[in-house]
Amino acid sequence: DTQMTQSPSSLSASVGDRVTITCRASQGIRNYLAWFQQKPGKAPKSLIYAASNLQSGVPSKFSGSGSGTDFTLTISSLQPEDSATYYCQQYNTYPLTFGGGTKVEIK
Amino acid sequence: EVQLVESGGDLVQPGGSLRLSCAASGFTFSDHYMDWVRQAPGKGLEWVGRIRKKAQSYSTEYAASVTGRFTISRDDSENSLYLQMNSLKIEDTAVYYCVRVYSSSYHDSWGQGTLVTVSS
């Protein structure tokens, strides 16, 4: 199985900060990488697919990059509504696997 | 608007069975692969399995943790997805999400989830 490792596991940042979350795959996954946002008690929301493509309706403050084994999700200007847990996921091979999540809090 | 509505979650004893349903609307259900993803209380996301379209003979894939116990099926005439869960274990306790697969590739739409609790 392809293991997905996210870092950090949690972070606290101020409104307006630029935030970057890293996701590393245990083997190359080309660009078959997605990012999801989950708020407490809610279903996950799809943010990005194919490493860097925004899902419809997702604000442009979210961006993704990377290929192969190393990927990043960036929030350009953190807002209170961005407080959530973010997950990466590889869909290059079965079984699909998720990272452990990064909890983003507002200072 | 894409809507996915899960139902069927319940409290069940270890070793028991349960069938979850997902009612889809707002899109051509038969055109899409569909997945189940689960989340144990306070834990991360775990992919459960996938069912492909008619063109791929409704073939399925499963996580190792559920292979041989869970079965995914679909009824395109009813726009419905199912998850038959047998020989349930305590560690199957989770919220189960129905997820649409776009372009036979990536997840794009999620249901609100249904809670399955396995406990004696």
Side-chain angles (χ1 to χ4, degrees), chain B residues 22-78:
Chain B
C22 171
S25 60
F27 65 102
T28 304
F29 179 73
S30 59
D31 283 350
H32 291 266
Y33 296 3
M34 296 294 296
D35 282 8
W36 288 97
V37 173
R38 69 183 180 182
Q39 186 170 36
K43 302 298 184 182
L45 300 169
E46 180 187 17
W47 176 78
V48 172
R50 169 168 295 178
I51 187 164
R52 299 182 180 89
K53 303 180 290 187
K54 182 178 180 180
Q56 288 77 40
S57 305
Y58 300 122
S59 57
T60 54
E61 304 284 347
Y62 296 97
S65 58
V66 307
T67 296
R69 301 187 299 122
F70 289 11
T71 302
I72 299 174
S73 61
R74 62 192 294 166
D75 184 340
D76 290 346
S77 68
E78 295 289 333

Side-chain angles (χ1 to χ4, degrees), chain A residues 1 32 34 36 38 41-46 48-50 55 87 89 91 94-100, chain B residues 33 35 37 39 43-47 50 52 61-64 97 105-113:
Chain A
D1 297 3
Y32 289 84
F36 305 93
Q38 187 178 34
K42 300 295 186 181
K45 174 186 176 182
S46 299
I48 286 173
Y49 65 95
Q55 290 278 1
Y87 295 93
Q89 178 216 52
Y91 53 97
Y94 296 107
L96 278 63
T97 47
F98 292 88
Chain B
Y33 296 3
D35 282 8
V37 173
Q39 186 170 36
K43 302 298 184 182
L45 300 169
E46 180 187 17
W47 176 78
R50 169 168 295 178
R52 299 182 180 89
E61 304 284 347
Y62 296 97
Y97 295 102
S105 184
Y106 55 87
H107 293 159
D108 74 332
S109 300
W110 297 65
Q112 87 289 348

Side-chain angles (χ1 to χ4, degrees), chain A residues 35 45-49 52-60 62, chain B residues 2 100 102 106-109:
Chain A
W35 289 97
K45 174 186 176 182
S46 299
L47 294 179
I48 286 173
Y49 65 95
S52 61
N53 293 275
L54 262 59
Q55 290 278 1
S56 176
V58 173
S60 59
F62 292 98
Chain B
V2 173
R100 187 176 81 163
Y102 196 84
Y106 55 87
H107 293 159
D108 74 332
S109 300

